[in-house]
């Protein structure tokens, strides 16, 4: 089965394609960073704070349009910390809404498979009355943590594929 490799920490020299966006855009004080560790895994880590109406940290990567034809799901090889995260995508980077999928991590390396048709549209945390992701094209991927509690987090990512 063919796949499209979106990210592989082992083949990257840096994490400059990724941009951290925390709740500071809304007055919050949560902090996070995204970097490649010594094992060539991308690490998204930080502290979510509920102060000043905050409560989330995110990191996103934007790229040229990828037209999807026969692919059906995302495959994420990652290691979490036992917390819930969201994987978010945008068909077009300029879209206001994202398509979201929440997943629970363990503290072991695992593969999370996310079917396109299970990614629901949302804007600012509110589910929208629109169809789920149609799998036609992609311009942005992101990870977000926002569990309505103050917490330290760490998510390590080895690969992101479309299969």
């Amino acid at each position: 089965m063919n796949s499209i490799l979106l990210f592989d920490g082992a083949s990257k020299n840096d994490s400059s394609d990724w941009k951290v966006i925390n709740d500071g855009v809304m007055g919050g004080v949560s902090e996070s960073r995204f970097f490649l560790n010594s094992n060539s895994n991308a690490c998204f880590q930080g502290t979510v704070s509920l102060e000043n109406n905050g409560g989330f940290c995110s990191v996103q990567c934007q790229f040229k349009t990828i037209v999807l034809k026969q692919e059906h799901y995302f495959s994420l090889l990652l290691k979490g910390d036992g917390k819930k995260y969201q994987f978010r995508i945008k068909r077009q980077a300029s879209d206001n809404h994202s398509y979201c999928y929440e997943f629970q991590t363990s503290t072991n390396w695992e593969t999370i498979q996310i079917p396109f048709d299970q990614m629901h549209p949302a804007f600012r945390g509110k589910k929208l009355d629109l169809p789920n992701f149609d799998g036609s094209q992609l311009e942005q991927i992101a990870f977000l943590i926002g569990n309505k509690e103050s917490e330290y987090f760490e998510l390590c990512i080895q690969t992101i594929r479309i299969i």
Side-chain angles (χ1 to χ4, degrees):
M1 181 176 280
N2 291 338
S3 70
I4 299 170
L5 183 63
L6 289 179
F7 177 80
D8 181 3
S11 67
K12 296 290 290 178
N13 292 331
D14 62 46
S15 57
S16 62
D17 295 343
W18 293 81
K19 180 180 177 183
V20 168
I21 300 175
N22 298 326
D23 57 18
V25 298
M26 299 166 43
V29 295
S30 298
E31 296 181 350
S32 68
R33 63 189 189 125
F34 188 84
F35 62 94
L36 293 180
N37 69 13
S38 59
N39 294 325
S40 297
N41 298 310
C43 290
F44 175 42
Q45 71 176 200
T47 304
V48 175
S49 171
L50 300 179
E51 290 182 40
N52 294 351
N53 297 314
F56 76 88
C57 291
S58 71
V59 63
Q60 67 184 28
C61 181
Q62 188 171 312
F63 37 79
K64 291 181 182 176
T65 304
I66 298 172
V67 176
L68 304 170
K69 295 180 181 169
Q70 297 178 340
E71 298 79 16
H72 301 286
Y73 62 92
F74 293 95
S75 181
L76 316 175
L77 179 56
L78 50 77
K79 180 180 180 183
D81 49 13
K83 294 179 171 63
K84 287 183 182 176
Y85 291 85
Q86 285 183 23
F87 182 65
R88 302 166 67 93
I89 63 165
K90 288 189 175 187
R91 290 182 68 244
Q92 296 179 297
S94 61
D95 288 346
N96 286 327
H97 68 281
S98 297
Y99 293 92
C100 307
Y101 183 88
E102 187 174 78
F103 62 94
Q104 179 73 45
T105 62
S106 70
T107 56
N108 300 312
W109 284 101
E110 60 190 316
T111 299
I112 305 290
Q113 293 187 342
I114 304 170
F116 290 168
D117 63 2
Q118 291 186 23
M119 299 193 75
H120 68 272
F123 180 68
R124 294 188 178 160
K126 304 284 187 216
K127 191 171 181 178
L128 302 176
D129 187 21
L130 295 171
N132 285 0
F133 180 55
D134 64 8
S136 61
Q137 73 177 45
L138 182 68
E139 289 186 1
Q140 186 181 92
I141 58 176
F143 289 92
L144 180 139
I145 183 167
N147 296 321
K148 297 182 176 33
E149 60 184 86
S150 295
E151 60 186 344
Y152 172 81
F153 67 90
E154 182 172 29
L155 180 69
C156 292
I157 305 145
Q158 194 171 87
T159 59
I160 302 171
R161 295 182 183 279
I162 306 173
I163 299 176

